[in-house]
Amino acid sequence: MPDHTRPPDKRITIYDVADAAAVSPSTVSRAFSRPSRVNSETAERIRQVAERLGYRTNPLARALTTARTHMIALVIADITNPVYAEIVRGAQEAVIGDEYTTVLIDAQESDRLERAAIERAMSTVDGIVLASSRMSDSAIRMFAKQRPVVVLNRAIADVPCLVTDNPRGVRRAAEHLGELGHDHITYVAGPEASWPNGIRWRSLLEAGMELEIKVRQIGPFSPTIEGGERAAEELCARPATAVLAFNDQMAIGLIRGLNRRGVNVPGDVSIVGFDNILAADLVTPGLTTVAAPFYAAGSAAARHLLTMIEGAPGHTGRPMVLPVRLVVRHSTSTRNLSPGRARPPWVRQRPATQPAAHLS
């Protein structure tokens, strides 16, 4: 039956819920903002009364009394990159039990857009998770002084960080290619502003010296399938038998671009990606790649952010490092060293006026 005791246009307030549940307004407030501080039976009764009356919390109004909005910002570099789907899912599921809402910000690979969006959101969120930020260290530290901040996929002094074990992943990829007989590896670089990009290249340099494998770098390219296709053109001008791409999207683009030019993967070129996105197992040939636990990363970052919001100190020493593993599929194979095949056949197709590629 409709409730005729109040005008139909009257907004239900926290005081109406308190009266109906026979508790104080402060208890109702805690039941929604900090349910762990309210008796479970009382909290459940308050929620049932609120639902019956049609009461809905207003995060911004609640923030006036609690200094909390129960919203966090999750900033990602590019919403079209499948990697971030797992990060977002992990973060959201980690905070939902604490009745937090996740505000998603897509920086579109732009440090300028990223910074502007965070500045606009700063007054309405309790904390920020930065996933693969393109901003400078100093800009991130500035925001960290204003709100709790956790950084993913990047190490910054004095700011809590979680990173995947890039050096280990690169080392396993280099070992795998070396075991297949490849003594030269070309790294196809991603964005210059990407922290993982720099770490992966330096890790490959170190692995190359230790494993006696020559390495070189081409790029940078956009970390997309289109970027990989553009890299294929340069790779054909500077041939290689083994490639480590910045990420899986670029590796998939490389496969497509090379196939269109008559280059066989893995017969002529072995390709390894990074991330292990869903498409890595769907592309032909299946992509050998370094798998990273992105769901776990998003979840761990969000949980740590909540502890900081509650007043726990952020750990600003060494970053938390999450393990990686090499997933071997069909985009890598033994280097063909049969007579006449010491170099890939597509090297011989290059015009005679073009200098031979120097791998170093």
Side-chain angles (χ1 to χ4, degrees), residues 189 259 324 348:
N259 282 342
V324 298
R348 297 195 296 275

Side-chain angles (χ1 to χ4, degrees), residues 29-50:
S29 177
R30 285 194 299 274
F32 287 106
S33 62
R34 296 185 178 183
S36 60
R37 297 192 177 185
V38 179
N39 176 276
S40 60
E41 294 181 0
T42 302
E44 179 59 27
R45 184 170 80 253
I46 291 171
R47 282 192 289 270
Q48 290 178 0
V49 169

Side-chain angles (χ1 to χ4, degrees), residues 15 35 53-54 73 100-101 111 117 179 214 220 232 241 263 304 318 350:
Y15 299 101
L53 295 179
Y100 270 79
T101 298
D111 61 333
E179 290 165 358
K214 294 182 179 180
T241 66
V263 181
H304 187 53
R318 296 175 63 87
R350 187 179 60 251

Side-chain angles (χ1 to χ4, degrees), residues 181-307:
H182 298 278
D183 55 8
H184 296 73
I185 299 175
T186 293
Y187 177 66
V188 180
E192 290 182 292
S194 166
W195 182 84
N197 181 66
I199 289 294
R200 289 169 190 172
W201 170 237
R202 290 193 293 274
S203 299
L204 185 58
L205 285 171
E206 294 176 4
M209 287 188 291
E210 295 175 1
L211 300 172
E212 298 184 350
I213 295 175
K214 294 182 179 180
V215 302
R216 71 166 186 199
Q217 178 178 185
I218 63 172
F221 298 97
S222 171
T224 61
I225 291 176
E226 292 75 16
E229 291 176 333
R230 286 192 290 273
E233 182 177 355
E234 184 169 339
L235 193 65
C236 283
R238 304 176 62 192
T241 66
V243 172
L244 174 61
F246 167 72
N247 68 5
D248 286 350
Q249 291 197 104
M250 294 176 71
I252 292 170
L254 273 169
I255 293 173
R256 290 174 56 175
L258 291 174
N259 282 342
R260 281 201 298 269
R261 292 168 171 81
V263 181
N264 179 264
V265 178
D268 298 324
V269 188
S270 288
I271 296 179
V272 179
F274 231 100
D275 294 338
N276 196 34
I277 63 175
L278 178 62
D281 199 27
L282 302 178
V283 67
T284 302
L287 181 63
T288 296
T289 182
V290 178
F294 292 111
Y295 177 92
S299 179
R303 288 198 306 270
H304 187 53
L305 184 66
L306 292 189
T307 65

